[in-house]
């Protein structure tokens, strides 16, 4: 094997047996691997096996021979993958491997599944035990040779259940011979509880292990019907009766008997722990099993088998005596080597055993403690020591139980019944598998010997199958070596020195021990390659079996092989007063012997039985079923690799693989080979070579040798497929590298372009962002400047206005002050001047007076002096005035200077004042703000203090609220879950209620129609009762006597003998002529007239009269004749019976394709004419008289009678024919005839359509050539186009439509037929899709979808009048195919699949399609593992609901219409306007039909 980096291989693993791995690094001596579990390991190249990675994606193959690498790990993991998908069956060639699912899968075993596998070629459908059973049955019937089915496996692998299924299928397909009340399968299965109770026990691996081999022979008669059966048993494990190991149990029947209440008390039984044979193990109960209930089942099984109550009591008495016998203990006697009963307890058990055996207790003790030896001188009684007495006791218990078991098997065989004349049988062998335990004893040696024998037979069969395959493919196989195990069989059974012969020889010598036996064994077989001596034991030996080495402990070999029949025991029990026990031990003739022991070898007897079994198997054609137990815990969906690989070795499956490896293990069809390896040599795939030649060219190009080219397949030697895959991997690697190179270039270029575009975009964005930011900054600066200008202008203007107003105020104040000052100064000056003037005036006056007086004294001088003084004063005043003026000017100048200074000071002070005011205002504002902040802070502080207190409380409350919130959240989540669940339940309930409402409305309609039918039936039944009461015992014409009630009316009216016949002509019309004719003459004329009528009707029925304006002439003529002859009003007539028989005869002999549609049209037209024109006589009056109180019922009945005529447009006044009993019966017979014709047409259509559909379910295999354009077969003949098969379906439908319309079948019937045809197409295609894995592919889905599109076109062309709801009938296959062809299945959730893609399909059907799907076109995968797990969980919950377990669709065989439906759907027919055919006008009785004669 070429190991390269990345190669897929299998490597051994201690825990998983084998594990998938990838090669990391490879050298010539060792390979470094990375396992699927993530470990790195190093292994030798020769220890590795190649692995096909494609098989992991496909979910396994259904036949191991399809594996690319047929090796041990490939077989193991293929089973594991299929088991995970609940595909428990897998083929290995013709061998079926069945893995126990440990869960119920009833959908795999119902009637629908049996119907699918019935007659199907082996391997065409999915692997199934029914396929093996069907193959054996078909081979038996075709070749006339008996068959055998060998079911093997270890305990708990499902052998018994598989055997039941095989018998169930054989009963279904073979039926049973007449006279059997119960099927053989039922009888054999009903005996199973009995055999399981007495032959099954708990072992280490199985709670219900069969400790005997069973061969059920089902016998068939020459017609293939089951005629009898027989059961043979092999090697019951007798030693288990007296010796068991913990935690195993003895046979179930002992524990069942101890659990029975009354019987246990009767037989003085107690808990199993009180009995030696049961208490050696501490396991007394089984999980989930009630011993008391099992006891009742065993009792019922005995009743079913036919065991009488007395025999049942004797059987359980015998079992109780064995238990009491085991409790007898011995102690040394007074004499040497003698023994006696130990104590009172043992004496009690001896007495109980003797009572139950119905024999003498002292005689029982004597047979256990002594032995009688015959000599020439006479009889000698030899005492037995304690060990010998115990051995004698155990030998008696084993002998009694073995005889009892043989009696039960014989009784079951007599109950089932054997067919001694049967020449064909199918035998089902349910036998123990290969066993290898820690301690292996004599039982394992015998079991493994039997399996070696069966393995040799198996190897021969497998080699024969290989030869047949090679011969079929016409290849050379003469040099292939046959793998045989004859050397092991010679080692065991060859005389005179085989192991069995040496063991028997050792058993014959009393002093022989297992040491002497082992020594002799090693002396004879020292150099034998299959036998080894155990290193740490002197007596143990190891045999190399086909399944591996097994070490046997010889300690108990001799004891278990000795099967002494003690004559004293037989004589004692044959003399029992119980007939049953004495019957188990018939008296034997006296034999002169020196010992009462009669030696019998268990191994020799088993060898003889096995030889007889092999002779039986060699005379039959074998079929193999290998049962596998997936885990030791008996749990579903658990797969233990080590256990399974061991079972595969033990079951010979890997031996079959080795046989295949010796020849050509890899076989592929040319199309598969070219499809897989054509890419290695594309130069041969241009279409110039066929597939076979291309295959040869590819193999020669790689210089491969020893391959073989068969007719349809190429056969490769072991290892060659690895070379091909290695070369293919190299080609794919190179292609992958080239693709990667181109892809990386494309990705790099694409990334560069995208990065460049992104850089340009980013740069433009960044530049734009920077420009926008700069513009925004400038915009903000300009705005700030503008704002500053306006603010400054506003501030300056406010300052100016404030300064201007202040200056004006100051100026006005100063001016007012100055004015007031000047005014006050002027006022004061004026006052001073006035005061001065007054003072001066007063002084002048006084002076004047004084002067006047002095004048008088001194007028002149005085006047002069006065004048001088006045002048001086005037000058003084003038000077003063000038001075004051100068002072005033200087004062004003000083004032102006001071005023300017004061103004400047005032301005500065005003500015300071304004600034101070602003500062004061600001300070006030600040103080106010601080005051407010202080107050707010104080308030906030007090609020914070309150908040802190509240916060502490809130924290406490918050903790409480959190805890309550968590509780509420939990409650909320639970309530939400319950709410969603309740919503789902509510929606489901609403849907169910809607369905129930629809059903109720439908039922109401059905009730109405049934009420109408009831009214009609009441009417007819009343007429029939009147007819029954009024029938006379007279008979007129015995020549035509055939009572109608004997043939047709058994289910309608009470059976009454009628042998009279009355002419179709009414009696009323015959009375005027009766006086002129004699009785004989009148009878003769009547008979002749009747004969003419019958001949005419016969001609009408047998001839194809055709149609006129769409009206069937035959129906119209028959109706008019019956109406004209007054047949409907006759009390007694056989003419209706004659018509029905004539129609039935025509249907049998005519061409069904034309005659059935013709008579469907005529019979339905005649039925409509009867339905619309007949009326029962006098019914309403009778009802009114009979039940005056029930007016409501009478009104409903009256309405029911009138409604049909109202529907077709007849007026109430129209006169209808009064129908009598024969006419009513004729209408019912005609209804049955219409239904029969419809059913025949439908069944014939299905028979014609089935082979066409078989070709349409799978796309034709075409050669895979370059570009997939050419399609040539290996022989060079071009195959039919894929659409050709569907064209045949379309042609079939066109032919059907033309036949139906050509015979003027009403559109109502055409619609029903077309609908049922499309329903059959839907069912057949859908069931085939679910049963054949090769159909669940992407390409096949496209193929079927294209065919369905053609059907849709045909339906659209046929129009709704004829097609009806045919398109809806294809819902299942349409949705299934639609699911196959969708991409991205792994992304779909289960809800999307169920709601959107496949609403009509059940979860089981979706699961089946999902697990079987594989994409052969694009390599895509099926749905995700999560969806598969969800579906599996749903299926496990729903597994007990048997109504929903089947994934197959059932074909509806009911008639989809009633008489009322026909009457309402078919338009009215006027029978008057018809033309009589020329050849019918010759009949005198039909002259009234000719309009010219009228």
């Amino acid at each position: 094997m070429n190991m390269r980096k990345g190669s897929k291989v299998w490597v051994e693993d201690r825990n998983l047996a084998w594990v998938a791995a990838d090669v990391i690094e490879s050298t010539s001596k060792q390979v470094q691997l990375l396992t699927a579990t993530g470990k790195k390991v190093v292994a030798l190249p020769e220890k590795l096996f190649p692995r096909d990675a494609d098989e992991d994606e496909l979910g396994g193959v259904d036949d191991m021979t399809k594996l690319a690498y047929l090796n041990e790990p490939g077989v193991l993991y293929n089973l594991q993958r299929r088991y995970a998908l609940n595909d428990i069956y897998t083929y290995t060639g013709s061998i079926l491997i069945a893995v126990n699912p440990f869960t119920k899968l009833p959908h795999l075993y119902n009637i629908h599944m049996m119907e699918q596998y019935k007659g199907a070629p082996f391997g065409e459908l999915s692997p199934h035990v029914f396929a093996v059973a069907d193959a054996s049955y078909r081979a038996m019937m075709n070749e006339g040779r008996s068959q055998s089915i060998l079911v093997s496996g270890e305990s708990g692998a499902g052998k018994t259940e598989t055997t039941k299924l095989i018998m169930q299928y054989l009963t279904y397909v073979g039926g049973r011979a007449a006279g059997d009340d119960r099927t053989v399968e039922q009888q054999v299965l009903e005996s199973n509880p009995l055999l399981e109770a007495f032959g099954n026990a708990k072992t280490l691996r199985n709670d219900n292990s069969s400790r005997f081999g069973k061969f059920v022979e089902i016998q068939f008669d020459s017609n293939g019907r089951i005629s009898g059966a027989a059961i043979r048993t092999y090697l019951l494990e007798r030693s288990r009766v007296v010796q068991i190991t913990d935690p195993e149990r003895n046979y179930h029947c002992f524990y069942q008997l101890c659990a029975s209440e009354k019987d246990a008390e009767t037989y003085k039984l107690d808990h199993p722990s009180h009995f030696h044979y049961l208490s050696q193990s501490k396991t007394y109960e089984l999980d989930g099993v009630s011993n008391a209930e099992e006891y009742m089942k065993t009792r019922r099984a005995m009743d079913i088998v036919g065991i009488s109550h007395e025999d049942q009591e004797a059987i359980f008495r015998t079992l109780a005596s064995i238990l009491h016998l085991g409790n007898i203990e011995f102690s040394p006697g007074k004499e040497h080597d003698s023994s006696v009963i130990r104590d009172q307890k043992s004496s009690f058990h001896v007495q109980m055993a003797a009572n139950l055996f119905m024999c003498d207790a002292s005689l029982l003790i004597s047979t256990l403690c002594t032995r009688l030896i015959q000599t020439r001188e006479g009889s000698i009684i030899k005492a037995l020591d304690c060990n010998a007495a115990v051995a004698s006791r155990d030998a008696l218990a084993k002998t009694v139980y073995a005889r009892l078991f043989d009696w039960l098997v014989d009784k079951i065989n007599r109950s089932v019944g054997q067919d001694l004349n049967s020449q064909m049988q199918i035998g089902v062998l349910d036998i123990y598998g290969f066993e290898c335990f820690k301690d292996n004893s004599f039982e394992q040696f015998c079991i493994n010997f039997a399996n070696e024998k069966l393995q040799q037979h198996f190897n021969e069969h497998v080699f024969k199958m290989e030869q047949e395959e090679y011969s079929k493919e016409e290849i050379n196989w003469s040099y292939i070596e046959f793998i045989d195990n004859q050397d092991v069989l010679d080692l065991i059974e060859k005389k005179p020195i085989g192991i069995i012969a040496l063991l028997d020889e050792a058993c014959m010598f009393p002093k022989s021990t297992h040491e002497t036996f082992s020594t002799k064994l090693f002396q004879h077989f020292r150099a034998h390659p299959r036998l080894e001596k155990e290193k740490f034991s002197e007596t143990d030996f190891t045999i190399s079996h086909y399944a591996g080495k097994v070490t046997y402990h010889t300690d108990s070999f001799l004891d278990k092989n000795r099967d002494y029949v003690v004559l004293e025991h037989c004589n004692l029990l044959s003399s029992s007063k119980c007939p049953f026990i004495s019957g188990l031990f018939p008296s034997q003739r006296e034999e002169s012997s020196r010992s009462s022991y009669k030696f019998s070898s268990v191994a020799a007897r088993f060898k003889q039985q096995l030889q007889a079994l092999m002779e039986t198997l060699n005379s039959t054609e074998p079929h193999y079923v290998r049962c596998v137990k997936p885990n030791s815990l008996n749990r579903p969906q658990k797969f233990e690799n080590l256990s399974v690989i061991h079972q595969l070795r033990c079951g010979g499956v890997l031996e079959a693989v080795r046989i295949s490896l010796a020849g050509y293990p890899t076989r592929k069809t040319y199309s598969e080979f070219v499809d897989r390896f054509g890419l290695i040599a594309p130069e041969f795939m241009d279409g110039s070579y066929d597939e076979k030649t291309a295959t040869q060219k590819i193999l020669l190009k790689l210089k491969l040798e020893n391959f073989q080219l068969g007719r349809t397949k190429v056969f490769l030697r072991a290892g060659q497929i690895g070379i091909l895959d290695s070369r293919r991997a190299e080609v794919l690697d190179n292609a992958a590298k080239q693709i990667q190179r181109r892809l990386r270039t494309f990705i790099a270029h694409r990334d560069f372009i995208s990065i460049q575009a992104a850089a340009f975009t980013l740069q433009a964005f960044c530049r734009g962002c920077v420009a926008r930011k700069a513009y925004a900054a400038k915009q903000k600066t300009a705005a700030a400047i503008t704002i500053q200008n306006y603010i400054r202008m506003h501030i300056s203007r406010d300052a100016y206005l404030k300064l201007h107003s202040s200056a004006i105020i100051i100026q006005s104040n100063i001016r007012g002050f100055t004015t007031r000052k000047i005014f006050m100064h002027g006022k004061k000056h004026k006052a001073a001047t006035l005061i001065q003037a007054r003072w001066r005036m007063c002084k002048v006056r006084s002076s004047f007076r004084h002067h006047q007086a002095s004048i008088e004294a001194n007028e002149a001088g005085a006047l002069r002096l006065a004048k001088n003084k006045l002048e001086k004063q005037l000058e003084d005043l003038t000077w003063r005035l000038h001075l004051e003026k100068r002072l005033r000017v200087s004062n004003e100048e000083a004032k102006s200077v001071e005023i300017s200074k004061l103004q400047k000071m005032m301005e500065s002070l005003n500015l300071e004042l304004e600034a101070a005011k602003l500062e004061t205002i600001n300070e006030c504002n600040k103080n106010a703000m601080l005051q407010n902040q202080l107050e707010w802070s104080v308030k906030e502080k007090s609020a914070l203090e309150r908040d802190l207190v509240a916060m502490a409380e809130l924290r406490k409350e918050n903790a409480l609220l959190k805890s309550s919130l968590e509780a509420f959240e939990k409650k909320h989540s639970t309530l939400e879950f319950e709410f969603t669940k309740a919503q789902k339940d509510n929606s489901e309930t609403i849907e169910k209620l809607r369905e129930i409402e629809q059903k109720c409305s439908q039922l109401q309609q059905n009730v109405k129609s049934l009420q109408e039918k009831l009214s009609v039936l009441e009417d007819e039944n009343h007429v029939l009762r009147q007819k029954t009461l009024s029938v006379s015992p007279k008979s007129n014409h015995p020549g035509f006597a055939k009572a109608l009630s004997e043939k047709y009316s058994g289910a309608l009216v009470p059976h009454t003998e009628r042998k009279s016949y009355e002419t179709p002509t009414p009696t009323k019309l015959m009375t005027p002529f009766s006086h002129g004719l004699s009785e004989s003459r009148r009878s003769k004329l009547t008979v002749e007239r009747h004969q003419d009528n019958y001949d005419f009707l016969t001609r009408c029925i047998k001839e194809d009269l055709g149609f006129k304006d769409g009206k069937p002439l035959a129906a119209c003529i028959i109706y008019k004749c019956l109406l004209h002859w007054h047949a409907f009003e006759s009390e007694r007539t056989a003419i209706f019976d004659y018509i029905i028989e004539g129609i039935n005869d025509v249907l049998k002999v005519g061409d069904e394709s034309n005659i059935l549609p013709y008579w469907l049209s005529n019979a339905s037209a005649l039925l409509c004419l009867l339905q619309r024109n007949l009326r029962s006589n006098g019914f309403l009056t009778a009802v009114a008289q009979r039940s005056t109180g029930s007016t409501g019922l009478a009104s409903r009945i009256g309405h029911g009678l009138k409604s049909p005529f109202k529907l077709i447009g007849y007026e109430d006044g129209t006169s209808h024919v009064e129908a009598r009993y024969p006419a009513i019966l004729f209408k019912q017979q005609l209804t049955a005839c219409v239904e029969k014709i419809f059913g025949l047409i439908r069944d014939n259509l299905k028979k014609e359509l089935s082979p066409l559909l078989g070709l349409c379910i799978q796309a034709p295999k075409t050669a895979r050539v370059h570009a997939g354009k050419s399609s040539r077969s290996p022989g060079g003949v071009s195959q039919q186009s894929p659409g050709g098969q569907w064209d045949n379906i379309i042609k079939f439908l066109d032919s059907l439509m033309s036949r139906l319309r050509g015979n003027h079948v009403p559109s109502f019937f055409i619609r029903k037929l077309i609908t049922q045809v499309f329903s059959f197409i839907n069912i057949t295609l859908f069931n085939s899709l679910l049963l054949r894995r090769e159909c669940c592919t992407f390409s096949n889905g496209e193929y079927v979808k294209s065919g369905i599109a053609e059907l849709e076109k045909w339906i659209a062309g046929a129009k709704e009048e004829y097609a009806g709801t045919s398109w809806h009938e294809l819902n299942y296959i349409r949705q299934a195919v639609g699911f196959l062809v969708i991409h991205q299945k792994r992304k779909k959730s289960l809800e999307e699949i169920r709601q959107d893609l496949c609403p009509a399909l059940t979860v089981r059907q979706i699961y089946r399609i999902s697990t079987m799907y594989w994409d052969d076109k694009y390599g895509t995968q099926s749905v995700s593992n999560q969806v598969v797990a969800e579906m599996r969980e749903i299926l496990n919950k729903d597994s007990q609901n048997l109504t929903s377990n089947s994934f197959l669709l059932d074909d509806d065989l009911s008639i989809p219409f009633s008489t009322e439906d026909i009457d309402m759907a078919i338009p009215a027919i006027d029978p008057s306007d018809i033309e009589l055919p020329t050849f019918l006008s010759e009949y005198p009785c039909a002259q009234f039909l000719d309009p010219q004669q009228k």
Side-chain angles (χ1 to χ4, degrees), residues 169 354 456 732 839 843 967 1118:
Y169 182 83
Q456 185 186 41
L732 290 176
W839 183 74
K843 192 176 179 179
I1118 292 172

Side-chain angles (χ1 to χ4, degrees), residues 452-467 470 477-487 489 530 624 655-656 658-663 717:
E452 284 285 356
K453 273 281 191 184
L454 293 172
Q455 184 63 31
Q456 185 186 41
H457 185 264
F458 175 73
N459 288 351
E460 292 174 355
H461 171 73
V462 172
F463 189 71
K464 181 182 175 183
M465 292 296 102
E466 290 285 306
Q467 291 177 345
Y470 298 155
W477 50 270
S478 58
Y479 56 86
I480 297 173
E481 180 184 359
F482 173 62
I483 298 176
D484 198 5
N485 61 340
Q486 186 61 44
D487 53 345
L489 296 175
R530 294 277 194 166
Y624 290 92
E655 191 73 12
R658 281 194 286 274
I659 293 174
S660 297
L661 288 174
R717 300 287 287 182

Side-chain angles (χ1 to χ4, degrees), residues 15 86 197 262 271 284 401 459 486 591 686 835 867 952 963 1018 1024-1025 1049 1142 1207 1246 1300 1323 1336 1384 1477 1480:
N15 300 321
N86 272 343
K262 293 183 179 179
H271 192 268
Y284 306 113
Y401 193 83
N459 288 351
Q486 186 61 44
E591 295 181 0
D686 57 356
I835 291 170
K867 183 178 177 184
S963 59
E1018 286 284 347
L1024 296 178
R1025 282 194 294 269
S1049 62
L1207 287 171
K1246 290 180 180 179
L1300 295 177
I1323 292 169
C1336 282
Q1384 303 294 332
L1480 291 180

